[in-house]
Amino acid sequence: VVHTCDAREMKQIYTNRLKQEHANAEKDLPEAKKTKFKPPDTSFITDEGGPFYTGFTYVPAASKALWEAGLLERTPSTSDGCHTEADECGGTFFCTNTYDANRHLIPLLVEHWIFNEDELRWTSHF
């Protein structure tokens, strides 16, 4: 499943990202050197090109078949997320795994979100 949003939502995502980058850049500065965040121009973000990518959720077909056949442990054995950094599309990757009868680690769910790691992403995945 590919997750998307419209221009209104993307403008808010873009503004929030820049606001967080501004806060990170200023967190160690003395109070006298800190500046107020100025909201960016988002007029270039429009709905003309269609929806914007915000992430994906992938359930491998083999994992789904094994799960439905009852051949996988019902309790996930590992679940983790990692933050990635990239100019165009960083974000967070998540993966949840379990074991099959032969103790092979099988991915149940893989996700990517363009957002940083935060409580909303963690609780929606886990």
Side-chain angles (χ1 to χ4, degrees):
V1 176
V2 174
H3 306 280
T4 61
C5 70
D6 62 16
R8 181 188 54 78
E9 292 170 299
M10 184 51 72
K11 288 178 181 186
Q12 188 62 52
I13 290 167
Y14 180 72
T15 300
N16 289 348
R17 177 181 171 196
L18 293 180
K19 189 174 189 175
Q20 183 61 47
E21 287 177 4
H22 179 266
N24 287 343
E26 297 213 336
K27 69 181 177 185
D28 294 328
L29 291 177
E31 203 59 43
K33 295 210 179 232
K34 291 185 179 182
T35 59
K36 186 177 177 183
F37 174 74
K38 296 177 187 168
D41 174 25
T42 57
S43 61
F44 66 93
I45 300 174
T46 67
D47 282 321
E48 286 179 14
F52 292 87
Y53 169 86
T54 59
F56 71 80
T57 301
Y58 173 66
V59 177
S63 299
K64 185 176 179 183
L66 289 167
W67 182 271
E68 290 171 352
L71 299 174
L72 296 177
E73 289 184 6
R74 294 300 182 188
T75 304
S77 27
T78 64
S79 206
D80 200 6
C82 67
H83 175 73
T84 61
E85 292 188 15
D87 289 338
E88 296 303 318
C89 193
T92 307
F93 276 96
F94 295 100
C95 186
T96 298
N97 307 287
T98 195
Y99 288 104
D100 68 6
N102 294 318
R103 305 302 291 163
H104 297 125
L105 199 54
I106 307 294
L108 293 175
L109 177 71
V110 179
E111 290 185 306
H112 174 257
W113 295 95
I114 63 171
F115 313 100
N116 289 332
E117 296 177 60
D118 62 17
E119 187 174 342
L120 175 62
R121 304 307 152 220
W122 279 92
T123 54
S124 71
H125 178 85
F126 303 110

